[in-house]
Amino acid sequence: MHPFSYTRVDSVREALAAGRRGGRYIAGGTTLVDLMRETVETPDTLVDISALPLSEITATAGGGIRIGALVPMSAATADPKLNALFPVAAQALRGASAQLRNMATIGGNIMQRTRCTYFRDVGADCNKREPGSGCAAINGYNRGHAILGGSDHCVATHASDFAVALTALEATVHLQAPDGKERSLPFGDFLLRPGSTPHREQAIRQGELITAVEIRAYPRPLKSAYLKLRDRQSYSFGLASAAVALHIRGGVIREAKVAAGGVATVPWKLPAVERALIGERPSDGLWAEAASHATDGARPLQHNRFKVELLKRTVERQLRTVGEME
Ligand code: SF4
């Protein structure tokens, strides 16, 4: 392992000062420590932020929710407010194993890195790990890779289920810069598609600290749920997933929020599916027709063509499930 120094901070001010000097933030460490062991990541300084006061879940005006960046995933999954308002988000967090949920934080969850095996193998070509070295997955074994959002430089999927729910619900990320300035980003702008710079994964600046994610209040109450399909029931990342939230009144769909995971380089919002639903009456035909748009623009690779049909069926099944909820 690359030698590193370790410092523990007790205040946001101290953390930001350490971040300004180039320190790398760590809390649960469930991604970063693994990657350091494999020498995929080689930070010189770790700044332990786990004692910062960023671990509250609070209701916001009108029925939204703000989740501190250091809330453990397990605490968020058990939170009554999150389960009542946005069950899709709580369910997405339950996709991880219990061990991970207990250690990992909300901020770490949305910063987690890809599970592409070539990325984690320092002997393989990988533009994300080593810009300009190539991509071993494009012509290699790519069963788990993306059919949407890929580029000639990277086709790795994003690993977070929670991020799929945040994408569907159009959440916001709150950040604080080393100079103390706060800013907020729509979640859809926070995670970056690979393009020609797959090593840049988030729109976060040097030393910036994630302080919270916020799901806004919706004037119309949403019914919502998350579905994740994978090779085995646990300790496995999704092959396809769907986050769906609907508001149905008077037998007509008035609001639709839909995103997919496990199939794209970032959590994949599905606006064409949403448009196909709004103003329509729920029916089997509608679920199938709307879900058929989920793969618009898909570019499958040699080993993952099955994901095209799998994604359509995942979205269709979850639209029906949420549409038929009482
Ligand atoms: Fe690296 Fe992306 Fe290619 Fe995987 S898909 S080897 S992460 S460049």
Side-chain angles (χ1 to χ4, degrees), residues 51-97:
L52 300 187
L54 300 173
S55 52
E56 284 206 342
I57 303 177
T58 48
T60 61
I65 195 160
R66 182 182 168 109
I67 308 171
L70 292 175
V71 172
M73 287 172 67
S74 53
T77 59
D79 183 75
K81 294 186 290 296
L82 188 65
N83 279 281
L85 291 170
F86 305 111
V88 62
Q91 290 166 14
L93 285 164
R94 284 189 200 105
S97 65

Side-chain angles (χ1 to χ4, degrees), residues 114 116 118-119 125-129 134-138 145 153-156 198:
T114 183
C116 173
Y118 299 109
F119 171 71
D125 292 339
C126 173
N127 288 321
K128 192 181 281 296
R129 175 171 31 75
C135 171
I138 288 176
H145 288 72
H153 301 267
C154 181
V155 288

Side-chain angles (χ1 to χ4, degrees), residues 216 218-220 222 245-248 253-257 278:
R216 68 187 165 99
Y218 280 89
R220 300 160 162 164
L222 299 171
L246 301 175
H247 175 82
I248 303 173
I253 300 168
R254 313 281 174 171
E255 189 100 64
K257 304 289 175 196
I278 291 172

Side-chain angles (χ1 to χ4, degrees), residues 149-173:
S151 72
D152 292 343
H153 301 267
C154 181
V155 288
T157 50
H158 195 268
S160 168
D161 293 295
F162 185 52
V164 181
L166 295 179
T167 299
L169 295 168
E170 295 155 5
T172 300
V173 185

Side-chain angles (χ1 to χ4, degrees), residues 39-51:
T39 66
V40 174
E41 296 253 23
T42 54
D44 294 322
T45 306
L46 290 185
V47 181
D48 186 341
I49 58 170
S50 51

